[in-house]
Amino acid sequence: MAAAKKAVLGPLVGAVDQGTSSTRFLVFNSKTAELLSHHQVEIKQEFPREGWVEQDPKEILMSVYECIEKTCEKLEQLNIDISNIKAIGVSNQRETTVVWDKITGEPLYNAVVWLDLRTQSTVDNLSKRIPGNNFLKSKTGLPLSTYFSAVKVRWLLDNVKEVQRAVEEDRALFGTIDSWLIWCLTGGTNGGVHCTDVTNASRTMLFNIHSLEWDKELCEFFEIPMKILPNVRSSSEIYGLMKAGALEGVPISGCLGDQSAALVGQMCFRDGQAKNTYGTGCFLLCNTGRKCVFSEHGLLTTVAYKLGRDKPVYYALEGSVAIAGAVIRWLRDNLGIINSSDEIEKLAKEVGTSYGCYFVPAFSGLYAPYWEPSARGIICGLTQFTNKCHIAFAALEAVCFQTREILDAMNRDCGIPLSHLQVDGGMTNNKILMQLQADILYIPVVKPSMPETTALGAAMAAGAAEGVGVWSLEPEDLSAVTVERFEPQINAEESEIRFSTWKKAVMKSMGWVTAESSESSDPSIFCSLPLGFFIMSSMIMFIGARYISGQL
């Protein structure tokens, strides 16, 4: 009976999905795209100073090994032979930056996460050298921002002596999370492969998206030595073999940044097809085919995928929202309004409205379409009637309003409005969120029954790689996907009123901080000279008045 079950399953493909909030390993049937088993581990985020976001690269690596081992144990319990796993794909949080020592294999500093704002003064200084940012944007498709890897590497080179010394001694390697994981999983100090794929490289600001190579001029502008950069490969080819653990000897043959992986997993292979992923942030990508389309409305131009060494590269327009699922985590961890992320739906359902309360979660400034680093989070429209349920509802609405803003920008850039929105990611399990999204966009929202499309995309790329060949990406061979559809349930006028009020709240969130105030580390009130004089003079006047009154 067990043997018959194995025969039915056919070749399997695993996928590492390393996100900002958690790591997962998932195993799919390559013939049916069925998810057979998975394991997930939450990842800690560290906030050493205001605006700083870091993670431990070794914790991330250990979480990958743990997820692989636990998933393999679960497969054995299901009587599924793990020797049927023929390939592994990697999908990862993009832009997050790691520099490590290739001799010892040790990270030289914590991973600087994509959300991190410490580099704002670096960005301000660099922007003075490129009026209008055109030089960078024409080569990279990206605006100069704290979001991307180059300025994070520049900060590490300027501020961390261990990194400076390792670069001088030719011991340093740089990579985004995919590079760090693949190097470690393929042997690390014993022959580990130092590589990345075109989708991750395109998020560094060091990569020319036209020539598909590291750009000497960009590296010189940021003063980053090219010798520390990984080799750039396609998104679907054998990079190396697993060197340890239950899957030792299995090829790692797929690599995609998480949003590109979701685009592949949603099977958006045609020009004009789009998807929106709801994770820590929110990311809307539209396939623009084999041509770069540059946005006039605040969107990014990025590499979508290149599924093979000899296959063409495809591009996408992207709308990036920094805070989506992260606002739910904030309500849980910082305010204690909920004990688990799942509770947000229950609270929102109790009231069914925000009652005029609007939440702009600009914790890391505003990304698309504004690119406004001075913004900070606000909750406005509060009354004595407002309670935690209304704030929970407003948090969900905020995710939907932000999606509306980037969808509007994409419609203006593309010229043809989307007739529906394909969605994926962990937050799509929240039915209230999905209905709100349909109401606020005023178009249907379509969710696949299997929402793990990011991992699926990485698995598809791995299984389709030359030398593996267990997953066909031909249109006629792709499995049909069952979907759940959410139709708008409010009238268009009400939708527009709510959206215009949200836009007023967004304007209120801007201009809260400058680079100097966001980087100040001295909380003392006496660091402000005028305030210090005011307090000291007030104390002197008070003591003098007491003295004079005592003499009378």
Side-chain angles (χ1 to χ4, degrees):
M1 183 176 176
K5 188 174 184 180
K6 290 173 189 173
V8 170
L9 287 176
L12 312 180
V13 180
V16 173
D17 181 5
Q18 205 300 299
T20 316
S21 302
S22 69
T23 298
R24 287 177 291 180
F25 185 69
L26 307 91
V27 174
F28 297 90
N29 184 329
S30 66
K31 300 305 178 189
T32 64
E34 178 190 359
L35 174 61
L36 300 176
S37 187
H38 75 283
H39 188 76
Q40 180 171 355
V41 173
E42 191 165 301
I43 299 293
K44 292 175 190 164
Q45 295 179 38
E46 299 175 25
F47 307 95
R49 285 170 58 176
E50 182 187 352
W52 292 29
V53 189
E54 297 177 0
Q55 291 179 321
D56 180 353
K58 293 180 77 173
E59 181 194 351
I60 290 173
L61 177 62
M62 289 302 104
S63 71
V64 170
Y65 279 122
E66 180 182 346
C67 287
I68 290 173
E69 296 302 314
K70 295 289 188 185
T71 303
C72 288
E73 289 174 12
K74 291 177 181 179
L75 288 171
E76 295 285 8
Q77 290 167 7
L78 293 169
N79 205 24
I80 297 171
D81 189 348
I82 62 172
S83 68
N84 280 336
I85 298 175
K86 303 302 181 185
I88 295 170
V90 175
S91 166
N92 57 287
Q93 53 172 311
R94 304 168 302 170
E95 300 96 19
T96 296
T97 297
V98 186
V99 178
W100 68 95
D101 188 318
K102 66 183 177 184
I103 306 300
T104 65
E106 292 294 312
L108 296 166
Y109 192 80
N110 271 347
V112 181
V113 176
W114 57 277
L115 286 165
D116 188 279
L117 292 176
R118 76 186 69 189
T119 55
Q120 188 57 53
S121 63
T122 305
V123 169
D124 292 340
N125 292 333
L126 288 168
S127 65
K128 294 168 187 172
R129 293 163 48 191
I130 43 164
N133 296 353
N134 289 333
F135 156 72
L136 289 179
K137 192 164 186 181
S138 64
K139 289 194 172 200
T140 67
L142 312 172
L144 185 59
S145 166
T146 60
Y147 182 17
F148 307 108
S149 307
V151 290
K152 302 179 194 299
V153 179
R154 184 67 259 154
W155 186 92
L156 291 169
L157 289 167
D158 289 338
N159 294 279
V160 181
K161 288 180 180 177
E162 290 83 354
V163 172
Q164 296 166 1
R165 197 175 305 120
V167 169
E168 290 165 5
E169 296 173 1
D170 200 23
R171 293 183 286 109
L173 295 177
F174 152 75
T176 42
I177 294 297
D178 58 304
S179 298
W180 163 245
L181 292 178
I182 292 173
W183 185 80
C184 292
L185 295 173
T186 57
T189 56
N190 297 312
V193 178
H194 187 215
C195 70
T196 188
D197 90 300
V198 289
T199 67
N200 281 295
S202 74
R203 311 297 291 193
T204 62
M205 295 206 87
L206 301 172
F207 185 72
N208 188 312
I209 61 173
H210 309 286
S211 66
L212 303 182
E213 296 174 330
W214 298 122
D215 191 287
K216 187 172 183 288
E217 192 177 6
L218 291 171
C219 291
E220 287 174 352
F221 175 77
F222 288 105
E223 299 180 86
I224 292 172
M226 296 183 77
K227 65 183 181 181
I228 71 172
L229 304 179
N231 293 319
V232 182
R233 312 276 285 271
S234 77
S235 308
S236 179
E237 61 180 272
I238 295 175
Y239 313 111
L241 306 180
M242 288 283 291
K243 289 296 173 66
L247 299 181
E248 184 176 353
V250 175
I252 299 174
S253 53
C255 180
L256 291 150
D258 51 8
Q259 302 314 317
S260 289
L263 196 72
V264 171
Q266 285 268 30
M267 301 176 201
C268 295
F269 294 127
R270 293 197 306 275
D271 192 340
Q273 288 187 304
K275 67 86 204 172
N276 197 38
T277 299
Y278 300 77
T280 299
C282 201
F283 301 91
L284 176 63
L285 267 71
C286 179
N287 189 330
T288 62
R290 295 167 66 173
K291 60 184 183 295
C292 283
V293 175
F294 285 88
S295 173
E296 296 180 3
H297 302 96
L299 303 181
L300 310 177
T301 303
T302 197
V303 175
Y305 52 81
K306 185 178 189 293
L307 295 174
R309 277 178 290 194
D310 302 322
K311 297 293 175 68
V313 63
Y314 283 75
Y315 296 93
L317 275 175
E318 174 176 330
S320 311
V321 170
I323 303 295
V327 74
I328 311 305
R329 189 167 177 165
W330 182 81
L331 290 175
R332 183 193 72 186
D333 297 345
N334 292 42
L335 294 194
I337 284 178
I338 52 176
N339 294 317
S340 70
S341 298
D342 295 340
E343 287 180 34
I344 194 82
E345 185 172 9
K346 181 182 175 186
L347 283 184
K349 191 174 183 179
E350 282 184 30
V351 287
T353 176
S354 65
Y355 201 76
C357 172
Y358 287 82
F359 192 161
V360 183
F363 301 154
S364 297
L366 290 168
Y367 283 13
Y370 301 100
W371 298 105
E372 182 49 71
S374 73
R376 286 297 179 271
I378 62 168
I379 302 176
C380 54
L382 299 174
T383 69
Q384 286 180 307
F385 183 72
T386 308
N387 61 36
K388 65 180 182 180
C389 297
H390 298 115
I391 292 172
F393 195 96
L396 295 181
E397 274 193 320
V399 176
C400 302
F401 286 132
Q402 290 179 105
T403 297
R404 165 75 187 268
E405 294 207 275
I406 55 177
L407 184 70
D408 284 355
M410 192 161 284
N411 286 339
R412 288 195 292 272
D413 277 325
C414 296
I416 304 172
L418 291 178
S419 60
H420 65 276
L421 182 66
Q422 292 176 233
V423 299
D424 58 79
M427 290 188 79
T428 61
N429 291 322
N430 186 320
K431 291 185 182 297
I432 287 184
L433 177 71
M434 293 295 94
Q435 186 57 56
L436 275 173
Q437 190 66 89
D439 290 344
I440 289 166
L441 296 180
Y442 211 67
I443 59 173
V445 168
V446 180
K447 173 198 161 194
S449 56
M450 200 288 293
E452 303 295 348
T453 52
T454 301
L456 177 60
M460 290 166 67
E466 185 179 350
V468 178
V470 299
W471 204 309
S472 172
L473 298 183
E474 295 301 321
E476 62 272 15
D477 296 328
L478 295 174
S479 303
V481 178
T482 56
V483 298
E484 186 175 2
R485 192 177 176 95
F486 296 84
E487 300 283 348
Q489 292 183 354
I490 63 173
N491 62 53
E493 185 180 1
E494 183 184 346
S495 179
E496 289 303 319
I497 290 170
R498 284 159 67 175
F499 183 53
S500 63
T501 310
W502 154 264
K503 299 268 280 187
K504 278 169 56 180
V506 170
M507 293 300 114
K508 302 284 187 188
S509 76
M510 295 184 187
W512 282 88
V513 293
T514 62
E516 290 77 13
S517 66
S518 67
E519 292 187 2
S520 173
S521 60
D522 186 355
S524 169
I525 56 174
F526 292 99
C527 67
S528 167
L529 197 58
L531 183 58
F533 276 135
F534 172 76
I535 293 172
M536 290 301 295
S537 61
S538 298
M539 290 174 66
I540 291 167
M541 290 171 64
F542 176 73
I543 293 167
R546 291 288 300 271
Y547 176 78
I548 291 168
S549 65
Q551 297 295 309
L552 296 176

